[in-house]
Amino acid sequence: MPAWDLIARTIADAGCRLVVGLPSDEPGLLDAADRHPDLKALGVRDQRVGACAAIGHTAVSGRPAVLALNSGPSFVNALTGLLEAASLGCPTVVITTRIPAPELGRGGFQQVDQLAMAAPLAKWSFLVEQADQLVWALRRAVHMAVNGAPGVVVLEIAHEVLQSDLPAAEPMGLVRRLAAVASDEAVDDAARLLRHAQRPVVVAGGGAKAAGAGEALLGLAERLGAPLFTTASGRGVIDEDHPLAHGLIGLYTSPAAQPLLDDADLLFVIGSRLEETARMGWFRPNSSRLIQLDSDPAAFSLAAEADVNLLGDATLTLRRLLGVLGARDLDVADSAWRRRIGQVQHEPRPAPGAEDMALSASAAITAAIDAFGRDLILVQENGLHDMWGYYYPVVSVSDRSTVISPGEQTMVGFGLGAALGAAVTDRSRPTVVICGDGAAEMSLAALPTAAEHNCGITVLMLDNRGFGWPRFVRSHSDSDDSLTRFATLSHVGRVVESLGGWTAGPATRAELAAALEKARLVTADGGIALISVRVADDDIAPGVLRAFEPPDSAGQGLDGAD
């Protein structure tokens, strides 16, 4: 069969369901995917958006996504999104082409060293130069993308292989995610530390969510009487209405819950590498005992040296640990810790208040979550005011929600592309994007594709007429901020309207409530709804303000230095 059809058949057999890309000059992988009954071909306007759409798809489906590229600008343009996919541990299979061999090194059209460019972010990369390598390389690429620490893999396929008619390979079945349990010795060591802990805290990251460890996590936290926090990528692993749930850690920690992190004598970190933003403002190595559970050995000894490393699947290892731990006899200190946990009073969610009251970012975000429900697909961005969306309890989600946020790279313009991939994959739940005006303008290329596929996306755009982060940072040094302010009004609304979507610019809570109700109707019918809310420069989440405080003995500055 033609090589592209064999590739489509092989990746579908391995468990992939979405192929994202731009159509190439000649029919290629996107066309072959469109012909295959088990694959969806998603043609986008921009490769950067395509990489973000792949992230959205994997977050919702749990399956690896395939990004179809070509040598040259196509590949280079996707790198920003792929950098974010690597940061998030998103299983993404990049399939790209190599120019004809006779032109290599001779000024060949669109020749670039793709594998060298991808090396810093790819888990595995390979050049397929022989036809008999193709099926093996494709299946290994899917295996590498989903196993261990999930991530980005890159296959470059030589032009000569793609021009061949190849023998059809026999189906080999789904490439499965492998799961192992931590060693008995490590589990026993962890149980021993947990039995003696007086003030334990449990932290769940994206790895815990990917492993579906929510039930086991709650079982552990309830057994220990420990508060449970998540990282941004771990959000949604548990229902945040649970009494032990206290929101996010680091940059996003609620001030009311901060003392629980500061006073913990044992941290149990599950499925997180404890990246910088997760450590901000509270993490001080050697101030408490540390147990770390991860499926990837590279996660250990990164942020700190743990007392116990548990190498294994989060769900299976937690179940084993719960069996070993047994019933826990609570002493006075344990009871005091439980009382402290129960007495934490988070700031109340913004109340409806007077209908004519001016809108704040937090009130607008809370109203949007209430309008669409806690079981939604929530896509977040990298911006100053939308940081309120990470802040509990302004946003509280259920364990049936999917929260998609950028990773440690925090690329601007992530949200609309990720929402496209999520909404194309799952239309049973509303998809809501929280972003700033700068980020929305940077990812406008996602909107035509969303309109074509009737994705039904609501965009809550917090408009500060420019780039909020650099403006805020400059305010701390009295630097000129004129370049951070847009001289022209945002044109996002006009783009949405040109695509048949609906827009609103509410200024009061009553107007916002009416706009959200209309947005629910528009998006239920597959349309795009944009609600633009004007926000003030000083409307900033507490964690951000705390990060910019001068470093002292009680915390850290933004750079994470003690």
Side-chain angles (χ1 to χ4, degrees):
M1 61 171 59
W4 286 123
D5 287 320
L6 177 60
I7 293 169
R9 175 176 166 175
T10 303
I11 59 176
D13 179 48
C16 302
R17 291 295 176 265
L18 181 73
V19 177
V20 188
L22 274 68
S24 52
D25 293 348
E26 298 176 351
L29 178 54
L30 206 62
D31 304 88
D34 199 38
R35 292 191 293 269
H36 196 285
D38 295 332
L39 293 174
K40 180 174 182 60
L42 181 63
V44 293
R45 270 40 171 203
D46 182 88
Q47 293 89 356
R48 189 175 185 266
V49 165
C52 294
I55 295 171
H57 168 74
T58 62
V60 169
S61 69
R63 294 178 180 270
V66 177
L67 184 61
L69 301 173
N70 293 294
S71 177
S74 170
F75 185 85
V76 176
N77 193 37
L79 283 176
T80 303
L82 292 175
L83 183 67
E84 199 64 80
S87 174
L88 286 166
C90 170
T92 308
V93 178
V94 178
I95 297 178
T96 187
T97 60
R98 191 192 73 176
I99 71 168
E103 293 301 325
L104 291 172
R106 303 178 62 188
F109 179 65
Q110 294 187 333
Q111 179 187 355
V112 296
D113 192 343
Q114 299 176 100
L115 300 189
M117 288 183 176
L121 57 88
K123 283 187 63 181
W124 183 68
S125 57
F126 187 75
L127 169 62
V128 180
E129 293 186 283
Q130 304 296 329
D132 60 2
Q133 298 173 318
L134 183 59
V135 172
W136 164 81
L138 288 164
R139 290 190 62 84
R140 176 162 174 77
V142 177
H143 162 75
M144 292 295 291
V146 302
N147 280 300
V152 175
V153 298
V154 178
L155 280 189
E156 184 180 50
I157 305 177
H159 172 81
E160 292 71 24
V161 173
L162 295 171
Q163 296 304 302
S164 307
D165 281 332
L166 304 174
E170 290 295 322
M172 301 174 67
L174 183 70
V175 172
R176 299 189 180 278
R177 181 178 176 273
L178 304 178
V181 183
S183 69
D184 290 344
E185 180 182 3
V187 170
D188 288 341
D189 289 343
R192 190 175 305 111
L193 283 183
L194 290 169
R195 289 191 187 103
H196 291 92
Q198 303 296 300
R199 300 178 302 283
V201 168
V202 177
V203 175
K209 185 165 70 172
E215 182 179 350
L217 269 171
L218 285 177
L220 176 71
E222 290 168 351
R223 182 78 58 85
L224 299 175
L228 206 164
F229 292 82
T230 71
T231 65
S233 60
R235 198 167 202 186
V237 67
I238 60 165
D239 191 316
E240 292 180 342
D241 270 356
H242 191 281
L244 292 175
H246 287 282
L248 278 65
I249 57 172
L251 185 61
Y252 318 115
T253 304
S254 161
Q258 183 76 36
L260 298 178
L261 292 169
D262 293 337
D263 296 342
D265 67 348
L266 183 143
L267 302 173
F268 193 166
V269 178
I270 301 159
S272 170
R273 294 171 179 254
L274 287 176
E275 292 90 349
E276 183 180 7
T277 52
R279 302 193 309 269
M280 284 181 180
W282 68 279
F283 187 80
R284 292 176 293 280
N286 305 319
S287 64
S288 58
R289 310 301 292 269
L290 175 63
I291 301 172
Q292 195 166 357
L293 165 56
D294 209 284
S295 62
D296 179 23
F300 303 129
S301 300
L302 188 63
E305 190 77 26
D307 296 275
V308 178
N309 291 323
L310 296 166
L311 178 61
D313 175 81
T315 300
L316 298 179
T317 301
L318 286 176
R319 288 174 180 168
R320 173 75 62 83
L321 178 60
L322 284 167
V324 171
L325 199 57
R328 193 164 182 258
D329 295 325
L330 301 178
D331 57 23
V332 175
D334 292 322
S335 300
W337 185 237
R338 285 175 180 259
R339 285 195 300 274
R340 282 188 62 184
I341 296 167
Q343 291 168 356
V344 170
Q345 296 293 321
H346 294 278
E347 294 177 21
R349 302 175 78 233
E355 291 190 346
D356 60 349
M357 184 178 293
L359 289 170
S360 65
S362 57
I365 293 169
T366 296
I369 300 301
D370 289 345
F372 286 95
R374 300 175 68 248
D375 299 345
L376 78 172
I377 298 171
L378 175 63
V379 184
Q380 298 178 287
E381 252 289 355
N382 169 37
L384 181 64
H385 305 287
D386 47 282
M387 200 63 65
W388 279 106
Y390 295 81
Y391 181 61
Y392 176 86
V394 169
V395 171
S396 174
V397 297
S398 79
D399 55 359
R400 295 175 299 280
S401 68
T402 300
V403 182
I404 307 171
S405 58
E408 201 67 9
Q409 294 295 332
T410 57
M411 63 173 283
V412 180
F414 168 85
L416 293 182
L420 167 64
V424 160
T425 304
D426 182 0
R427 303 186 190 183
S428 67
R429 295 175 291 166
T431 298
V432 177
V433 182
I434 302 172
C435 67
D437 52 318
E441 292 188 9
M442 197 174 288
S443 53
L444 284 177
L447 293 179
T449 309
E452 289 171 354
H453 289 266
N454 299 312
C455 287
I457 296 172
T458 298
V459 182
L460 177 63
M461 187 174 79
L462 304 175
D463 186 358
N464 65 0
R465 305 293 200 271
F467 292 116
W469 268 108
R471 188 185 307 166
F472 174 68
V473 174
R474 291 179 186 210
S475 72
H476 281 69
S477 59
D478 295 324
S479 300
D480 179 67
D481 66 4
S482 58
L483 292 177
T484 71
R485 299 182 183 277
F486 295 162
T488 58
L489 297 179
S490 172
H491 58 288
V492 179
R494 292 186 178 183
V495 174
V496 170
E497 290 171 353
S498 73
L499 295 169
W502 175 84
T503 66
T508 66
R509 297 191 181 196
E511 292 173 357
L512 176 62
L516 288 167
E517 181 60 30
K518 176 67 173 179
R520 288 177 65 247
L521 298 175
V522 169
T523 55
D525 201 34
I528 300 171
L530 171 72
I531 300 175
S532 178
V533 175
R534 187 77 167 91
V535 292
D537 285 352
D538 60 356
D539 188 356
I540 300 169
V544 178
L545 294 172
R546 185 177 64 244
F548 279 85
E549 292 173 353
D552 57 28
S553 60
Q556 299 173 331
L558 185 64
D559 62 0
D562 288 336

